[in-house]
Amino acid sequence: MKLSRDILAFQARLGHEFSSPELLIRALTHPSVSSPNRQDNQRLEFLGDRVLGLVMATALLEHDKHATEGQLAPRFNALVRKEACADVARQIDLGAVLKLGRSEMLSGGRRKQALLGDAMEAVIAAVYKDAGFEAAQNVILRLWGKRVGTVEDDARDPKTALQEFVQARRQPPPAYVLIARTGPDHEPVFTIAARLEDGTEEQATAGSKRLAEQAAAKALLAKLEQET
């Protein structure tokens, strides 16, 4: 299979030359453009998630030989969650070579975090199927780079951390209130308030409700910790 110039450039950014380039093409094919003769990347995404998990679990154990499971778990989650995969995808401009249907292209699919994260996992699986675990491991560790060593010791989801903080003080869990939704339908922006029963709150704005909630929770937790 002959690859286009943009796919060859992406392959160079990825750092792996495929013996079976059809695997890479499949990894870059979103379900919105699949057909009976063109497989999408969903099955590869499923596999890539597991390969990434094994590589990161191994890397974390080797990096900190004395960390407890309780310390390792949040670090692991921070490294394999969809946001981290999407960040790496942006780093190598994966969005530029995604194969999308017209509706996804018009709605900004090349910039969507979920699509980028899923495709990154699919590409990892494609490398694994093309050349084995060691090749996939090398690609992952190179692309994730210093993230393994610099991931926060307490990398818990901010909403979980905030809930544990207030529950430890026998307070009801925080509420997340939608303050505003702006922007076009294909690229909305949400402002969310993380609010306690006594009215204490912090607001944050992001391109998804989930990210806005996390940012608001992180800001409120920082405020509460500063006051204690």
Side-chain angles (χ1 to χ4, degrees):
M1 175 185 288
K2 187 175 181 179
L3 296 176
S4 63
R5 185 176 299 177
D6 61 339
I7 299 293
L8 286 171
F10 172 75
Q11 188 176 240
R13 295 194 298 273
L14 178 66
H16 177 76
E17 184 174 346
F18 281 81
S19 298
S20 301
E22 62 273 12
L23 283 168
L24 176 58
I25 298 302
R26 181 180 166 192
L28 298 172
T29 301
H30 185 261
S32 63
V33 75
S34 64
S35 70
N37 297 319
R38 177 187 283 182
Q39 291 183 305
D40 63 44
N41 62 9
Q42 288 184 309
R43 286 172 61 86
L44 286 176
E45 173 202 338
F46 172 82
L47 176 60
D49 176 62
R50 277 69 185 172
V51 175
L52 174 62
L54 179 56
V55 171
M56 283 302 159
T58 302
L60 286 170
L61 285 172
E62 292 178 351
H63 178 75
D64 188 344
K65 299 183 185 301
H66 303 290
T68 65
E69 188 277 338
Q71 292 172 314
L72 291 169
R75 299 178 197 175
F76 174 84
N77 291 334
L79 290 167
V80 303
R81 64 171 58 125
K82 199 68 70 179
E83 293 89 339
C85 292
D87 283 344
V88 173
R90 295 187 190 97
Q91 173 184 315
I92 56 175
D93 200 13
L94 189 156
V97 292
L98 270 180
K99 298 184 179 298
L100 303 171
R102 178 176 172 78
S103 61
E104 280 294 351
M105 284 195 290
L106 292 176
S107 65
R110 297 189 190 282
R111 301 187 303 275
K112 289 182 180 178
Q113 182 164 268
L115 268 66
L116 290 172
D118 290 347
M120 190 68 240
E121 291 174 343
V123 168
I124 288 169
V127 175
Y128 170 75
K129 288 177 71 67
D130 186 66
F133 179 76
E134 186 174 347
Q137 183 179 45
N138 289 339
V139 167
I140 291 167
L141 293 179
R142 183 176 60 81
L143 293 180
W144 262 252
K146 295 181 180 178
R147 290 176 176 86
V148 175
T150 59
V151 66
E152 295 179 11
D153 285 352
D154 184 4
R156 291 172 299 172
D157 180 284
K159 292 176 65 175
T160 301
L162 175 61
Q163 181 160 327
E164 290 176 353
F165 183 92
V166 297
Q167 285 182 337
R169 287 153 183 78
R170 299 184 179 180
Q171 298 177 33
Y176 294 91
V177 183
L178 177 63
I179 303 300
R181 184 188 188 281
T182 59
D185 288 340
H186 70 272
E187 204 166 358
V189 176
F190 301 90
T191 299
I192 301 284
R195 184 178 297 163
L196 299 184
E197 188 178 47
D198 64 5
T200 304
E201 72 171 50
E202 285 292 330
Q203 297 184 12
T205 300
S208 73
K209 286 184 178 179
R210 179 170 177 267
L211 289 177
E213 288 176 354
Q214 288 179 329
K218 185 174 182 178
L220 180 54
L221 179 59
K223 179 179 182 179
L224 295 173
E225 289 178 335
Q226 193 172 26
E227 291 175 351
T228 57

